[in-house]
């Protein structure tokens, strides 16, 4: 079950972050162009994509001891839902939290990969995969835009795209002529 969880977790979350990130870039063409012009912006932009897209909506946990969070008493054994999308838009942490900004100084303060002992084992691999894919896509597809159907995945657990038709003109990579 652990191996199955790792393969599904790494597939679902990374795939849905990529499709959600592409949608964000189509909705924010000036920021997309900045990333095309300066690929060094990609690592921070992908952290902002993780914050905004948040592929996992929530995770259920059980309190192991009595505690209090923001004035709410929680007893050992209480069932809790950690809402990642809400945490990633926390106004105490992020200025203008509902705005996509590839220049956000604290974009990496998101909890899209979880936190503490529940931090995603594959976070570094996912960051590498996402960075490489965006480096390649942005260098080859300058004019992508939604063209037709767009449907979100109907899931309480995963924030994903079920269908997204995109129109673009493919370009050869700059180093292909060599």
């Amino acid at each position: 079950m652990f191996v199955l969880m790792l393969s599904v977790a790494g597939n679902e979350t990374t795939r849905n972050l990529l499709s959600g990130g592409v949608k964000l870039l189509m909705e924010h063409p000036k920021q997309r162009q900045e990333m095309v012009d300066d690929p060094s912006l990609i690592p921070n932009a992908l952290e902002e994509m993780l914050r905004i897209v948040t592929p996992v909506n929530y995770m259920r946990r059980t309190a192991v001891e009595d505690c209090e969070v923001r004035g709410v008493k929680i007893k050992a054994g209480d069932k809790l839902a950690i809402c990642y999308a809400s945490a990633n838009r926390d106004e105490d942490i992020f200025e203008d939290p509902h705005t996509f900004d590839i220049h956000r100084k604290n974009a990496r303060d998101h909890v899209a990969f979880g936190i503490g002992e529940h931090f995603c084992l594959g976070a570094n691999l996912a960051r590498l995969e996402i960075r490489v894919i965006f480096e390649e896509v942005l260098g080859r597809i300058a004019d992508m835009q939604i063209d037709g159907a767009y449907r979100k995945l109907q899931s309480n657990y995963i924030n994903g795209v079920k269908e997204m038709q995109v129109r673009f003109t493919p370009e050869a990579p700059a180093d292909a002529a060599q």
Side-chain angles (χ1 to χ4, degrees):
M1 287 304 292
F2 182 70
V3 171
L4 178 63
M5 190 263 317
L6 283 178
S7 65
V8 170
N11 178 317
E12 285 292 315
T13 54
T14 302
R15 178 171 49 86
N16 285 305
L17 182 276
L18 288 167
S19 57
V22 165
K23 184 175 184 289
L24 281 169
L25 294 178
M26 288 187 291
E27 294 170 342
H28 298 87
K30 289 179 184 172
Q31 292 186 68
R32 180 180 72 208
Q33 189 59 51
E34 285 184 70
M35 292 168 62
V36 169
D37 295 341
D38 183 2
S40 73
L41 296 173
I42 292 173
N44 198 68
L46 78 85
E47 298 298 334
E48 181 69 349
M49 290 174 195
L50 283 160
R51 187 186 75 79
I52 291 287
V53 173
T54 311
V56 174
N57 288 321
Y58 75 94
M59 192 68 66
R60 192 195 65 81
R61 297 286 181 240
T62 302
V64 295
E65 61 185 44
D66 292 351
C67 64
E68 187 173 312
V69 177
R70 293 190 173 189
V72 177
K73 293 183 190 288
I74 300 169
K75 296 178 185 163
D78 282 354
K79 307 298 185 224
L80 308 167
I82 301 167
C83 298
Y84 294 116
S86 179
N88 286 337
R89 288 171 181 76
D90 186 336
E91 294 165 343
D92 291 344
I93 306 295
F94 302 103
E95 185 177 323
D96 197 11
H98 300 287
T99 299
F100 176 66
D101 178 6
I102 65 170
H103 301 287
R104 187 178 299 277
K105 300 255 186 278
N106 68 332
R108 199 170 175 128
D109 291 345
H110 65 79
V111 293
F113 288 122
I115 192 168
E117 64 190 43
H118 299 288
F119 191 77
C120 175
L121 292 173
N124 289 328
L125 176 59
R127 283 182 168 115
L128 175 64
E129 291 171 332
I130 296 161
R131 181 181 53 81
V132 169
I133 288 171
F134 276 111
E135 286 171 351
E136 293 300 318
V137 167
L138 290 170
R140 296 175 190 214
I141 304 174
D143 64 346
M144 61 183 147
Q145 55 189 305
I146 292 178
D147 185 38
Y150 173 79
R151 292 186 303 134
K152 289 193 59 95
L153 178 68
Q154 297 298 308
S155 171
N156 291 329
Y157 181 61
I158 297 291
N159 179 23
V161 176
K162 183 72 173 171
E163 179 182 10
M164 181 169 65
Q165 295 177 6
V166 176
R167 180 171 38 98
F168 63 92
T169 306
E171 298 176 14
D175 61 355
Q178 298 176 7

